[in-house]
Amino acid sequence: MIWAQLTTALEWYGAFILLFFFAINTYYLVLTVTGFWRTLQVFKQVRRPDQRRLLRSPLTPPISVLAPAFNEEANVVDNVRSLLMLDYPLFEVILINDGSRDRTLGRLVDAFDLRRSARTFDRVMPCQTIRGVYESSTYSNLVVIDKDNGGKADALNAGLNLSLYPLFCAIDADSILESEALLRLVRPFVDAPGVTIAAGGVVRVANGCEIHGGRVHQVRLPRRPLPLIQVVEYLRAFLFGRMGWSTGNSLLVISGAFGLFDKRAAVLAGGYATDSVGEDMELVVRMHRYRRERRQPYRIGFVPDPICWTEVPVSFRVLRRQRTRWQRGLIDTLVRHRAMIGRPRYGSVGMVALPGFVIFEMLSPLVELSGYLLLPAMWVLGLLNPAGAWMFFVLAIMYMVLVSTLAVLLEDIAFRRYASVLDLGRLLVGAVLENFGFRQLTVWWRVRAFWEYLRGDLSWGEMERKGVGA
Amino acid sequence: MAPAVALEPLRNGVLALAAAVILLALFLLVERSAAALSSSRRSRREPILSRLLFQALQSSPVDARAFRRLGRFDRRLVRSILLGLALDLRGDSGDAIATLYRDLGFVKRDLAGLRSWRASRRANAAADLGLIHSAETVPGLLSALQDADVRVRQAAVWAIGQVGTPATLTGLVHLLGDRSLVVAHRVQEVLAERGREIADSILRYAETTSSRSGRLAAVELIGWLRITTGADLLLSGMRDLDPEVRVKSVKAAAAVGDPRFLEIFHSRLEDVRWEVRCQAAKGLSLFGAVASVPRLAAALRDHHWWVRFYAATALAEIGPAGEEALSSALHDPEPLVQEMARYLLERGDAVPALP
């Protein structure tokens, strides 16, 4: 009797997993297609003289670029130089040395002739002790803050305290921005002044690219399979996925590597949460919440063409740290803002985006892992024939390959960043390869993140950089 | 009853997905090959057509005969090259480009485009006509200002700014109060570049309009363009009950710098809005009047950083009397006052770029 009930339950669960696989891949497919459609819409609105107009317009708002750095001595000088060369009418670069243990500050002092400044600031956001503020005698728009280590969110809050301008762009110190990136990213703020409170930009993989002096000179794919797979993943999830979510003003994540915010709106919402490892997503969700609870009109956009290049992990060890941190950040944000989920008061964010994230982003690794365990178990118990298990596995993989291939195709139509046909072929190989080992590993790491989250682990883990521009 | 997972639908699903993946990969290949072909054709034709274009543009009058029998691909390429050149060239070269563009029928095509049923096509046509700087396009662009689509109106405003005479620019002034903020901003941008030619119209509009947003935009323009004849309007604006009007007026006044503003700047240092206080302090730095020192020294105690910063900057600009006030502020019991005074006295040439 019990055996019969158990087998029935297992069979039901097997069917649920089948449905879940279908649903999650359809979710990605819909996001990819919506994101592509939205990208084309945005491109239609951008005309040839727009960048020049923005460069000259007195209405183009000035921007404070905030770049937190922790042990970045390898690339920090090149990266700051590239930030200072951005095409934008009025901006300042605030580099926050978050208690680095290496020569990050020393290199900056030498390279930019930094002098200790008595610059004062309003303590709008709480942050760790600021040991010193440095200004450059050669670049009037460069400020370096030296502070006690407090994590990325704390460093950004310190930067917010010293920033002069109404918009701030949060980036990673090791990110490389294209020279027109700010001009492109500011468009939503210029087109809907007072309404746009944040805009995310596209982050792409710098590994393999030819980089000199903090500029990407030639876009190439990485040779090693691990970063190659991440290129496909970034295209699918971070380009078209986020573009898709932005369609209904439901974008929940603006990458910490590249996002532009209205300073006043961010400060009113409470700034960066220092007790979260997913501070980028948490701030965006909090900004949604703040505005929706007060019924204030707002828009959080995503711009498909500004490009920020970032180095992705090349070793499994670093990748594991990154993925568990992302997942812990996701869980933390969704738990903190659980009151928004399924509540019509929060509009599309509460009714669509947050439930979507709970089901397809947060819980999916649990379901997927249970699927991986269940199928062999059912096979062993004689509840599933080997052909059925095999067929199901192939079906799931084919659907994932389909979504990734579509993302590659749409990238080629909309951007064509990878010039050679060989690169396209390698991207397609990456789309297939990610399903054999990479996906399963990330699922396992994301499941482990639940355990780490329950233990209260708030560590970031160090991101070891090889230095893409080296 | 547990659901039975049938093999047949699974197998069909796998086959359908595999077919879809193969089709997508093939489509990708075809799409890339087509793009490569077009790009190679473009790179072959572009130098030839560019050479022809340069010859045609240098001849007087402009000779378009060489382009009469071009195919569709070449015509598109010629149009694109001309628009690219028009972005950078003005004067005689710009006129020659406009003539050739018209002679090849592109102006007519763009004017027809302004009547397209697709808003994006209408907006693109307006933007392209703006690049060409041809006066004959103005009537079409003026009618595009009435378009229902904001993108088209924005593009038309920009285009009129590129092409228009002072008379047509005057026609834009009333759009400073347009119901669409984006269109109004575009008008502001255009007038910020070319508004000096029609300063009187802007001033008149600011004085007479009933649109609050239009008035604010016009006051802002008076500051950007430093229209000195607007001093009276700014004086009354600085006393307005509407705080936004006060903010914009003080900001504009700080840019215009009429001597009559000195007293009102002093009184505005005590305004309830920090933006007004801050702009008043900024304005006082223009005058360098010793009489402002006690007021500015008091403003060093303001709770808002920007007000303290501009008050200290103004004191530093005033000269010895201001520097003396800053030096005594170093001994002030209030740390905020001390810090700001120290910053201004020590910073030397390291001046942050200010909005």
Side-chain angles (χ1 to χ4, degrees):
Chain A
M1 180 66 183
I2 291 172
W3 178 249
Q5 282 176 345
L6 183 70
T7 53
T8 309
L10 280 175
E11 280 170 353
W12 271 107
Y13 193 67
F16 162 72
I17 285 175
L18 189 69
L19 274 177
F20 189 84
F21 267 87
F22 180 75
I24 192 169
N25 286 301
T26 305
Y27 158 87
Y28 283 124
L29 187 69
V30 169
L31 272 183
T32 305
V33 173
T34 316
F36 174 67
W37 173 79
R38 179 82 191 123
T39 302
L40 293 185
Q41 295 289 107
V42 171
F43 281 179
K44 270 186 196 167
Q45 290 170 20
V46 180
R47 269 166 282 280
R48 210 188 297 236
D50 269 7
Q51 311 296 11
R52 289 191 187 199
R53 182 180 61 73
L54 283 171
L55 260 178
R56 286 205 303 253
S57 170
L59 290 167
T60 304
I63 294 176
S64 301
V65 178
L66 310 184
F70 178 71
N71 292 347
E72 303 274 0
E73 67 173 351
N75 291 323
V76 75
V77 171
D78 264 356
N79 290 338
V80 169
R81 253 187 240 289
S82 100
L83 289 176
L84 289 167
M85 286 190 296
L86 288 171
D87 287 338
Y88 199 77
L90 185 56
F91 71 102
E92 62 176 349
V93 175
I94 302 182
L95 187 125
I96 308 110
N97 178 41
D98 190 30
S100 296
R101 292 188 292 265
D102 63 0
R103 284 206 68 239
T104 300
L105 182 64
R107 283 186 188 269
L108 288 167
V109 168
D110 295 344
F112 299 102
D113 196 14
L114 296 180
R115 308 223 171 121
R116 213 179 161 97
S117 156
R119 179 155 161 177
T120 64
F121 53 90
D122 271 345
R123 199 168 255 273
V124 187
M125 301 301 311
C127 66
Q128 292 288 329
T129 308
I130 291 179
R131 300 190 285 226
V133 178
Y134 296 79
E135 286 178 313
S136 166
S137 45
T138 39
Y139 298 92
S140 62
N141 60 340
L142 173 63
V143 179
V144 173
I145 302 172
D146 183 34
K147 65 180 277 291
D148 286 348
N149 182 266
K152 189 177 172 187
D154 190 75
L156 286 166
N157 282 340
L160 271 176
N161 286 334
L162 266 104
S163 63
L164 295 177
Y165 301 143
L167 301 184
F168 73 91
C169 178
I171 63 161
D172 286 342
D174 57 303
S175 298
I176 296 168
L177 299 190
E178 294 207 344
S179 61
E180 287 192 343
L182 287 183
L183 275 178
R184 295 172 188 158
L185 194 55
V186 83
R187 270 197 318 255
F189 291 88
V190 175
D191 288 346
V195 178
T196 302
I197 56 170
V202 176
V203 178
R204 291 208 180 202
V205 175
N207 305 48
C209 294
E210 206 176 285
I211 297 168
H212 306 293
R215 281 271 177 274
V216 174
H217 286 269
Q218 187 149 19
V219 179
R220 289 204 188 119
L221 283 175
R223 290 183 179 280
R224 297 167 68 173
L226 193 59
L228 175 72
I229 288 168
Q230 290 173 79
V231 175
V232 180
E233 201 189 14
Y234 270 56
L235 284 182
R236 190 185 57 229
F238 299 162
L239 174 55
F240 293 116
R242 287 181 187 172
M243 200 65 207
W245 277 121
S246 77
T247 309
N249 199 21
S250 311
L251 182 68
L252 297 185
V253 189
I254 287 178
S255 167
F258 190 35
L260 187 59
F261 297 84
D262 180 313
K263 181 176 158 184
R264 191 163 172 270
V267 169
L268 278 176
Y272 285 96
T274 50
D275 56 348
S276 170
V277 285
E279 79 297 326
D280 43 4
M281 179 183 183
E282 203 282 329
L283 175 65
V284 177
V285 175
R286 195 144 31 83
M287 287 171 85
H288 274 293
R289 186 172 187 170
Y290 184 90
R291 290 281 167 153
R292 297 224 180 221
E293 284 177 351
R294 285 158 187 77
R295 296 180 191 281
Q296 293 168 347
Y298 75 100
R299 177 143 191 90
I300 294 181
F302 192 79
V303 188
D305 52 341
I307 298 284
C308 165
W309 298 90
T310 193
E311 187 186 352
V312 296
V314 291
S315 75
F316 284 104
R317 190 169 52 86
V318 180
L319 184 69
R320 173 178 58 77
R321 282 190 207 143
Q322 185 196 53
R323 295 309 160 100
T324 51
R325 176 167 51 78
W326 285 2
Q327 182 71 9
R328 274 184 281 135
L330 173 76
I331 300 167
D332 178 60
T333 304
L334 294 175
V335 170
R336 276 173 199 244
H337 298 284
R338 59 189 178 277
M340 294 171 74
I341 299 169
R343 298 269 300 274
R345 179 186 185 189
Y346 298 101
S348 55
V349 175
M351 298 303 287
V352 184
L354 282 169
F357 265 67
V358 169
I359 297 167
F360 297 122
E361 306 286 348
M362 187 176 98
L363 297 177
S364 68
L366 295 176
V367 178
E368 202 169 330
L369 183 71
S370 70
Y372 290 131
L373 299 175
L374 187 72
L375 281 176
M378 286 174 76
W379 181 18
V380 169
L381 294 172
L383 298 173
L384 188 74
N385 65 39
W390 175 242
M391 204 65 81
F392 173 60
F393 184 65
V394 175
L395 182 79
I397 283 175
M398 287 309 294
Y399 205 169
M400 286 184 258
V401 172
L402 175 78
V403 177
S404 298
T405 310
L406 186 65
V408 173
L409 170 70
L410 299 185
E411 192 281 340
D412 200 56
I413 293 172
F415 304 97
R416 194 158 298 143
R417 282 279 169 165
Y418 300 101
S420 88
V421 180
L422 195 68
D423 278 349
L424 276 185
R426 292 176 64 206
L427 281 175
L428 292 180
V429 169
V432 177
L433 271 186
E434 73 167 321
N435 298 294
F436 299 96
F438 179 85
R439 191 183 169 94
Q440 290 73 14
L441 264 177
T442 51
V443 163
W444 170 239
W445 292 331
R446 287 166 69 196
V447 170
R448 269 182 58 165
F450 277 90
W451 171 241
E452 290 175 8
Y453 171 76
L454 292 172
R455 270 181 25 218
D457 186 351
L458 285 174
S459 67
W460 253 68
E462 282 178 40
M463 169 75 186
E464 288 162 23
R465 309 279 179 192
K466 299 286 176 195
V468 283
Chain B
M1 181 68 184
V5 180
L7 275 184
E8 197 55 30
L10 279 179
R11 192 177 296 122
N12 290 340
V14 169
L15 289 174
L17 286 173
V21 169
I22 291 167
L23 272 178
L24 278 183
L26 280 176
F27 183 73
L28 183 60
L29 204 65
V30 170
E31 181 264 340
R32 178 51 82 92
S33 308
L37 272 177
S38 161
S39 155
S40 113
R41 192 172 167 198
R42 188 188 171 103
S43 55
R44 265 188 291 118
R45 295 296 294 159
E46 205 165 51
I48 300 167
L49 292 170
S50 296
R51 206 164 37 243
L52 281 174
L53 273 176
F54 281 116
Q55 282 167 5
L57 291 172
Q58 278 167 357
S59 63
S60 180
V62 173
D63 184 4
R65 275 175 305 177
F67 303 96
R68 297 267 184 236
R69 290 188 183 174
L70 293 179
R72 254 175 85 178
F73 182 86
D74 282 351
R75 269 181 73 79
R76 269 214 308 268
L77 201 50
V78 164
R79 184 172 176 273
S80 157
I81 297 170
L82 281 174
L83 287 174
L85 289 172
L87 198 60
D88 295 310
L89 297 175
R90 294 283 191 278
D92 289 347
S93 309
D95 292 344
I97 290 168
T99 308
L100 189 54
Y101 196 82
R102 187 191 55 230
D103 289 355
L104 292 175
F106 296 137
V107 169
K108 204 171 151 190
R109 178 183 175 277
D110 287 341
L111 286 172
L114 286 177
R115 293 187 297 275
S116 164
W117 61 272
R118 277 167 52 214
S120 60
R121 166 107 172 80
R122 298 199 300 277
N124 281 330
D128 291 345
L129 288 172
L131 280 173
I132 289 305
H133 310 283
S134 172
E136 71 197 276
T137 63
V138 170
L141 290 170
L142 283 173
S143 59
L145 290 177
Q146 315 300 324
D147 200 285
D149 192 280
V150 171
R151 287 172 294 170
V152 182
R153 282 163 53 219
Q154 277 187 74
V157 167
W158 178 83
I160 289 172
Q162 303 301 304
V163 184
T165 57
T168 42
L169 288 174
T170 306
L172 288 182
V173 176
H174 76 279
L175 291 175
L176 285 169
D178 194 272
R179 62 184 184 280
S180 157
L181 199 56
V182 186
V183 173
H185 277 187
R186 198 56 55 90
V187 176
Q188 253 191 312
E189 283 174 355
V190 164
L191 295 181
E193 277 196 27
R194 297 198 50 196
R196 214 174 289 279
E197 301 164 47
I198 53 159
D200 289 344
S201 305
I202 295 172
L203 193 54
R204 204 171 318 117
Y205 175 78
E207 285 165 347
T208 55
T209 183
S210 57
S211 155
R212 180 176 176 267
S213 62
R215 186 180 174 204
L216 290 172
V219 167
E220 210 160 25
L221 273 169
I222 289 170
W224 290 344
L225 298 168
R226 295 191 166 81
I227 302 175
T228 48
T229 47
D232 287 331
L233 178 84
L234 296 179
L235 275 169
S236 70
M238 285 191 276
R239 294 190 184 99
D240 203 285
L241 290 177
D242 184 338
E244 281 305 315
V245 176
R246 287 206 306 280
V247 171
K248 300 276 186 199
S249 300
V250 177
K251 193 171 179 183
V256 171
D258 190 288
R260 284 178 291 164
F261 296 153
L262 186 66
E263 274 314 308
I264 196 158
F265 279 161
H266 284 163
S267 65
R268 288 304 100 190
L269 280 175
E270 280 156 28
D271 198 281
V272 286
R273 286 282 291 262
W274 72 265
E275 296 98 324
V276 176
R277 300 197 301 276
C278 151
Q279 292 300 332
K282 190 178 176 184
L284 285 171
S285 67
L286 285 178
F287 296 113
V290 179
S292 306
V293 171
R295 308 253 189 176
L296 289 168
L300 284 177
R301 300 181 171 283
D302 199 285
H303 70 272
H304 204 283
W305 188 90
W306 277 109
V307 183
R308 293 200 303 278
F309 176 76
Y310 274 120
T313 308
L315 283 170
E317 297 282 329
I318 284 172
E323 280 167 20
E324 199 182 313
L326 282 175
S327 301
S328 46
L330 289 174
H331 308 292
D332 195 282
E334 187 67 60
L336 288 177
V337 179
Q338 279 179 33
E339 282 172 12
M340 189 56 83
R342 187 174 309 114
Y343 176 46
L344 259 290
L345 288 170
E346 288 179 10
R347 72 178 185 177
D349 295 331
V351 186
L354 299 171

